[in-house]
Amino acid sequence: MGITKDIITELERIVGSNNIITDDVELTVYEADGSFVYTAKPDVVVFPRSTEEVAKVVRVAWENRIPIIGRGSGTSLSGGALPIEGGIVISLTRMNRVLELDVENETATVEAGVINLWVSDALAKLNYQYPIDLGYYFPADPGSQRVSTIGGNISHNAGGVKCFKYGVTVNNVRGLKVVLPNGEVRFFGGKVVENPGYDVIGIMSGSEGTMAIVTEAVLRIVSNYESVKTILAAFNSVEDAGTAVSRIISSGIRPVALEFMDKIAVNAIEAGPWGGGLPTDAEAILLIDVEGSEPGTNAEASRIIEILKSSGAYMVKLAKDRAEANRWWNARKQAFGAMGFVGPNYITGDGTIPRKKLPEALHRIREIGNKYGFRIANVFHAGDGNLHPLILYDERRPGERERALQAEDEILRMCVEIGGTITGEHGVGYYKKHLIGLLYTDYELNVMKNIKSVFDPLGIMNPGKIFPR
Ligand SMILES: Cc1cc2nc3c(=O)[nH]c(=O)nc-3n(C[C@H](O)[C@H](O)[C@H](O)COP(=O)(O)OP(=O)(O)OC[C@H]3O[C@@H](n4cnc5c(N)ncnc54)[C@H](O)[C@@H]3O)c2cc1C
């Protein structure tokens, strides 16, 4: 059934006339996500302010068999938040309160529309509601942490620079309040570390909005460390940098973050106002954080510096203070946006490979770039083997977008061929569902579809995502 005038009136009654968009021009804002590769317009967007309002909206959709698409900030890079079959977009952005900071239990309870960085800001007294620095932060920190929401992070099981040590989003979620597709409100998990029985939070995290709408989450928070050391290393070859990554990890040291950027990426960053003084002549750089006690970080940093030098780094620098380290990290976190300085358009790839295969993968990405005639920048979470090849192309040239997508496809197939996967953190979404069969047998895909149908028997939750039809 389509969306009738009566349904719109009912939705307006639930959320109020200031919290609904039906105007065709205004709906354009919601037809894309962060990738801008495809567009699909919703019929209506609602902005509920409470779980109860979400439940009532969802109930209307259930009764009328209308697709429901949860949406946070729309920074998804896989077409995840696109309403492929139209329907109701439920934007969680007005459910943006930090509800509780519980240091004794090391948890923060937040609404789904809270921006990722706001959790750490609240813990560090940067948020007006909490005037005391509690000495804690939320460790799952995607590059988009200044804009993406906790609900979006959970739904895509986002990764980030500190995930090498602390795990991805799912490892930092203890409880979830969700609205099921029939409008029932359920809570899974709690404040305890482990729950017996099936891991429902694990199943819902990364389910890309295909099972339920997340409205609240209980997050794990971790304490600040006494000492953090940041190391910057520059290499004349990407392969040497890749080898250094493997050698650091196999040495038994676990840095909290281990990031890679190649020459194109560094030059794009340094061309912008957020340049961090990164070496623009290097073919590749690594940015590494270790944290712990002062003697511990001193020893680990010295060992890492030795490994970097013996792996061919021509420059290794220990940040002289936090201000310098923050400049480097800030520069890293601007990398995607900085691509605008070196090309009119780009596609953000996202694949994962076994870390040992880093040098081979980087070599093959360059070959694929040459084959298609595109420059490809590389910025990625090297510690997790999570690659982000950024394929630079020009939308104005006929056929370039299609060829750029083909190049991305080939890179992802290469990742699978060498033992990796088609996504590390950006989700399967709409763009990559044709590749999921490379990873799973029909039996495995059916197991997943059966799990989805337990929650979503009518198939109204974010249809057209993850699974090929
Ligand atoms: C510059 C940039 C840097 C990025 N860096 C990273 C990175 O380092 N790591 C990483 O993992 N990702 C990264 N991303 C991708 C993106 O930011 C993440 O996928 C993020 O988790 C999406 O959050 P969002 O609030 O924007 O969600 P949206 O894009 O709005 O939605 C993402 C998905 O979640 C669903 N969804 C959203 N909210 C809910 C909810 N409350 N309930 C149910 N379903 C919901 C949507 O339907 C969609 O499928 C980056 C993106 C950009 C543009």
Side-chain angles (χ1 to χ4, degrees), residues 351-423:
T352 301
I353 51 150
R355 286 179 301 232
K356 216 166 80 181
K357 299 281 177 94
L358 260 179
E360 179 184 345
L362 293 170
H363 178 70
R364 288 186 61 183
I365 288 171
R366 200 167 38 216
E367 282 181 347
I368 293 169
N370 291 340
K371 174 177 160 189
Y372 286 90
F374 293 126
R375 286 186 303 155
I376 302 182
N378 285 290
V379 181
F380 56 86
H381 312 307
D384 300 326
N386 181 198
L387 306 175
H388 292 311
L390 307 171
I391 305 169
L392 297 155
Y393 72 101
D394 189 342
E395 188 90 33
R396 295 164 299 187
R397 295 196 190 123
E400 275 219 351
R401 177 205 290 201
E402 289 67 28
R403 283 196 307 111
L405 287 168
Q406 273 170 20
E408 186 198 16
D409 215 82
E410 204 165 315
I411 291 171
L412 294 175
R413 287 174 192 274
M414 176 274 291
C415 290
V416 176
E417 198 188 304
I418 64 174
T421 73
I422 57 167
T423 171

Side-chain angles (χ1 to χ4, degrees), residues 446-459:
N446 278 332
V447 169
M448 290 186 213
K449 286 182 192 166
N450 286 339
I451 293 172
K452 170 180 163 60
S453 68
V454 169
F455 294 98
D456 180 26
L458 301 182

Side-chain angles (χ1 to χ4, degrees), residues 33 40 74 81 88 136 190 198 210 276 281 320 326 387 395 407 445 448 452 461 467:
D33 67 356
I88 305 173
Y136 275 76
Y198 293 166
T210 62
D281 57 341
K320 59 177 185 298
N326 289 341
L387 306 175
E395 188 90 33
L445 285 174
M448 290 186 213
K452 170 180 163 60
M461 297 303 297
F467 306 108

Side-chain angles (χ1 to χ4, degrees), residues 27-246:
L27 287 174
T28 310
V29 175
Y30 295 87
E31 71 175 10
D33 67 356
S35 54
F36 293 103
V37 178
Y38 297 103
T39 56
K41 213 181 256 190
D43 293 295
V44 53
V45 182
V46 292
F47 302 86
R49 290 178 175 271
S50 65
T51 298
E52 291 67 35
E53 285 185 7
V54 174
K56 285 179 188 164
V57 168
V58 169
R59 186 76 203 170
V60 170
W62 168 269
E63 281 165 359
N64 295 282
R65 309 285 194 271
I66 297 168
I68 304 165
I69 303 91
R71 184 171 172 118
S73 297
T75 63
S76 148
L77 293 169
S78 57
L82 296 190
I84 297 303
E85 299 180 9
I88 305 173
V89 163
I90 301 184
S91 167
L92 278 297
T93 49
R94 293 184 189 171
M95 289 182 61
N96 54 14
R97 288 174 305 154
V98 174
L99 299 173
E100 186 196 28
L101 300 177
D102 180 351
V103 170
E104 283 79 13
N105 283 308
E106 299 194 311
T107 59
T109 303
V110 303
E111 289 184 319
V114 163
I115 301 294
N116 176 298
L117 194 59
W118 293 358
V119 183
S120 297
D121 283 354
L123 288 159
K125 78 172 177 188
L126 297 171
N127 183 308
Y128 65 95
Q129 286 180 54
Y130 295 95
I132 308 161
D133 185 348
L134 296 168
Y136 275 76
Y137 71 96
F138 178 53
D141 59 344
S144 57
Q145 70 179 151
R146 286 189 176 84
V147 282
S148 62
T149 64
I150 292 296
N153 295 166
I154 291 167
S155 302
H156 267 182
N157 195 15
V161 298
K162 295 208 166 174
C163 294
F164 184 41
K165 178 164 180 181
Y166 293 107
V168 290
T169 304
V170 65
N171 306 114
N172 295 288
V173 176
R174 297 250 175 96
L176 281 184
K177 187 185 270 189
V178 300
V179 175
L180 298 176
N182 63 3
E184 282 174 25
V185 178
R186 296 282 176 224
F187 188 83
F188 296 103
K191 288 187 176 179
V192 292
V193 179
E194 285 292 337
N195 288 293
Y198 293 166
D199 180 6
V200 181
I201 292 175
I203 289 170
M204 293 221 162
S205 304
S207 66
E208 305 190 22
T210 62
M211 291 180 182
I213 297 292
V214 176
T215 59
E216 277 178 34
V218 182
L219 306 174
R220 172 175 88 129
I221 55 174
V222 298
S223 60
N224 295 334
Y225 273 92
E226 174 194 324
S227 164
V228 182
K229 298 273 186 287
T230 302
I231 303 155
L232 175 67
F235 295 81
N236 283 319
S237 97
V238 289
E239 284 81 4
D240 281 354
T243 305
V245 170
S246 302

Side-chain angles (χ1 to χ4, degrees), residues 289-303:
D289 260 8
V290 286
E291 57 180 34
S293 65
E294 188 65 30
T297 54
N298 278 334
E300 286 189 344
S302 304
R303 179 81 189 102

